[in-house]
Amino acid sequence: MTHDNRPLFAANWKMHKGPVATREFVAEFTSCYEPSEDRRVVVFPPSISVEAFRLAAVDRPDLGVGVQDVHAEAAGAHTGAISASMAVEAGAAWSLAGHSERRREFGDDDRLVSRKVQRVLASGLLPVVCVGETLEERDSGALTEVLERQVAAVLSAVEHKAHGDLTWAYEPVWAIGTGRTASPEDAAEAHAIVRNALAGGAGAALGKGATILYGGSVKPGNIKSLMEAPGVNGVLVGGASLEPGDFAAICKCPLG
Ligand code: 13P
């Protein structure tokens, strides 16, 4: 796979928007966001809406779509779960892995996240691996240790030749859905820690070239300063991505 390192603007809809609301979003979003060669846009709807997104956006190949999670196994008796190959069949090209809400609510620990990333890669999807610290971890001075541990767990589970296929998202748990955004300085510091951990585990060139997104209360009003922070290669947007106009405004951020 050739590594595409254009800035990436991604929407994580979490548990919002079924197929009907997804079609409405695509109609409105495509009327206010034109294809742009210098950036990538990817939406992660609930898996039940992935096919609706792909069909509604059939004339917009510039808009990528992905799932928010897959099961670590290829198939089997796992009621309620979806597999990576089903996600591919529905039109997904991407999958999130290790989002803090999965880690907190569903017990996705480093080991399980790593197994999911392996499955995602084996099915041909591109993973966006989410890492980030809680407020307690930050306050106790464990920021570097937590990020290094989360990055190392995934790198050690993935063959070296696939390290370049990984996209990363730094999402401080205390900034998710709280309205409390990391300052551009906080984001730059954490992105540098993730990048160093990648350089240590995957090699200097991969560390330098990796796409690392920032996520946590990104809005039209703060996108520019976050995108200008050193080492920030894009964003993963929750709440503000549910409004087509707001997400379009974020995706249109001028690039320096
Ligand atoms: P918010 O933008 O709602 O803070 O969510 C961020 C997030 O968790 C994206 O994955």
Side-chain angles (χ1 to χ4, degrees):
M1 241 174 267
T2 36
H3 186 64
D4 182 345
N5 56 10
R6 288 174 298 160
L8 174 54
F9 295 83
N12 174 10
W13 286 354
K14 309 188 179 185
M15 200 169 71
H16 297 283
K17 297 192 192 294
V20 173
T22 294
R23 284 189 283 272
E24 288 167 3
F25 177 96
V26 172
E28 204 173 327
F29 181 74
T30 51
S31 73
C32 51
Y33 177 77
E34 295 295 318
S36 185
E37 289 283 309
D38 63 352
R39 64 197 68 202
R40 296 173 285 167
V41 174
V42 178
V43 177
F44 294 88
S47 53
I48 201 163
S49 302
V50 163
E51 190 172 13
F53 187 100
R54 197 58 288 161
L55 292 174
V58 72
D59 296 331
R60 291 294 301 267
D62 61 307
L63 304 179
V65 63
V67 288
Q68 299 168 13
D69 182 56
V70 296
H71 199 280
E73 297 295 331
H78 306 290
T79 302
I82 66 150
S83 71
S85 59
M86 289 172 195
V88 172
E89 208 177 306
W94 297 78
S95 178
L96 299 180
H99 192 279
S100 61
E101 287 150 17
R102 296 288 321 173
R103 292 180 192 258
R104 186 180 65 227
E105 289 185 42
F106 301 93
D108 289 21
D109 58 11
D110 286 339
R111 204 180 114 68
L112 183 53
V113 171
S114 302
R115 289 179 54 224
K116 289 185 175 189
V117 172
Q118 288 172 329
R119 181 65 59 198
V120 163
L121 287 166
S123 68
L125 292 169
L126 289 167
V128 176
V129 185
C130 305
V131 297
E133 82 290 1
T134 63
L135 193 55
E136 298 70 51
E137 288 166 336
R138 170 168 280 257
D139 287 347
S140 69
L143 172 66
T144 303
E145 182 194 322
V146 169
L147 296 180
E148 285 179 347
R149 191 199 72 224
Q150 292 174 339
V151 168
V154 171
L155 287 184
S156 64
V158 169
E159 280 183 272
H160 184 70
K161 66 175 169 42
H163 283 168
D165 296 332
L166 304 172
T167 296
W168 299 83
Y170 167 65
E171 299 206 310
V173 179
W174 46 271
I176 294 179
T178 59
R180 186 179 160 193
T181 318
S183 66
E185 294 74 25
D186 287 338
E189 181 197 10
H191 280 230
I193 295 169
V194 173
R195 208 173 286 287
N196 278 341
L198 291 172
L206 275 168
K208 197 158 175 275
T211 297
I212 308 176
L213 313 179
Y214 167 78
S217 298
V218 175
K219 308 215 165 356
N222 58 26
I223 181 67
K224 191 163 176 294
S225 60
L226 286 164
M227 286 299 291
E228 283 168 0
V232 173
N233 312 116
V235 284
L236 181 54
V237 189
S241 73
L242 297 171
E243 282 300 321
D246 284 352
F247 189 52
I250 289 169
C251 294
K252 286 194 241 183
C253 176
L255 301 173

